CSV table of all heavy atoms in Angstrom, one decimal:
chain,number,residue,atom,x,y,z
A,277,GLN,N,-4.9,5.1,27.2
A,277,GLN,CA,-4.5,5.5,25.9
A,277,GLN,C,-4.0,4.3,25.2
A,277,GLN,O,-3.6,3.3,25.8
A,277,GLN,CB,-3.3,6.5,26.0
A,277,GLN,CG,-3.2,7.4,24.8
A,277,GLN,CD,-1.9,8.1,24.5
A,277,GLN,OE1,-1.7,8.4,23.3
A,277,GLN,NE2,-1.1,8.4,25.5
A,278,CYS,N,-3.9,4.3,23.8
A,278,CYS,CA,-3.2,3.3,23.1
A,278,CYS,C,-2.3,4.0,22.1
A,278,CYS,O,-2.4,5.1,21.7
A,278,CYS,CB,-4.2,2.3,22.4
A,278,CYS,SG,-5.5,3.1,21.5
A,279,GLY,N,-1.3,3.2,21.7
A,279,GLY,CA,-0.3,3.7,20.7
A,279,GLY,C,0.4,2.5,20.0
A,279,GLY,O,0.7,1.5,20.7
A,311,GLU,N,-8.5,10.4,22.6
A,311,GLU,CA,-8.1,10.1,21.2
A,311,GLU,C,-9.3,10.2,20.3
A,311,GLU,O,-9.9,9.2,19.8
A,311,GLU,CB,-7.4,8.8,21.1
A,311,GLU,CG,-6.3,8.7,22.1
A,311,GLU,CD,-5.5,7.4,22.1
A,311,GLU,OE1,-6.0,6.5,22.8
A,311,GLU,OE2,-4.5,7.3,21.4
A,314,GLU,N,-9.8,8.2,17.2
A,314,GLU,CA,-9.9,6.8,17.3
A,314,GLU,C,-11.3,6.4,18.0
A,314,GLU,O,-11.5,5.2,18.3
A,314,GLU,CB,-8.8,6.2,18.2
A,314,GLU,CG,-7.5,6.2,17.3
A,314,GLU,CD,-6.2,5.9,18.0
A,314,GLU,OE1,-6.3,5.3,19.1
A,314,GLU,OE2,-5.2,6.2,17.5
A,407,ALA,N,-5.0,11.8,19.0
A,407,ALA,CA,-4.5,10.5,19.3
A,407,ALA,C,-3.0,10.4,19.5
A,407,ALA,O,-2.5,9.4,20.1
A,407,ALA,CB,-4.9,9.5,18.2
A,408,SER,N,-2.3,11.5,19.1
A,408,SER,CA,-0.8,11.5,19.3
A,408,SER,C,-0.5,11.2,20.7
A,408,SER,O,-1.0,11.8,21.6
A,408,SER,CB,-0.4,13.0,18.9
A,408,SER,OG,0.8,13.2,19.6
A,409,ASP,N,0.4,10.2,20.9
A,409,ASP,CA,0.7,9.7,22.2
A,409,ASP,C,1.1,10.8,23.2
A,409,ASP,O,0.6,10.9,24.3
A,409,ASP,CB,1.8,8.7,22.2
A,409,ASP,CG,1.4,7.4,21.4
A,409,ASP,OD1,0.2,7.3,21.0
A,409,ASP,OD2,2.3,6.6,21.1
A,426,PHE,N,-1.4,2.3,29.2
A,426,PHE,CA,-1.2,2.5,27.8
A,426,PHE,C,-1.1,1.1,27.1
A,426,PHE,O,-0.2,0.3,27.4
A,426,PHE,CB,0.2,3.2,27.7
A,426,PHE,CG,0.5,3.8,26.3
A,426,PHE,CD1,0.4,5.1,26.0
A,426,PHE,CD2,0.9,2.9,25.3
A,426,PHE,CE1,0.7,5.6,24.7
A,426,PHE,CE2,1.3,3.4,24.0
A,426,PHE,CZ,1.1,4.7,23.7
B,1,CA,CA1,-2.2,7.4,21.1
Side-chain angles (χ1 to χ4, degrees):
Q277 203 200 157
C278 48
E311 304 178 277
E314 289 172 16
S408 153
D409 295 351
F426 190 106

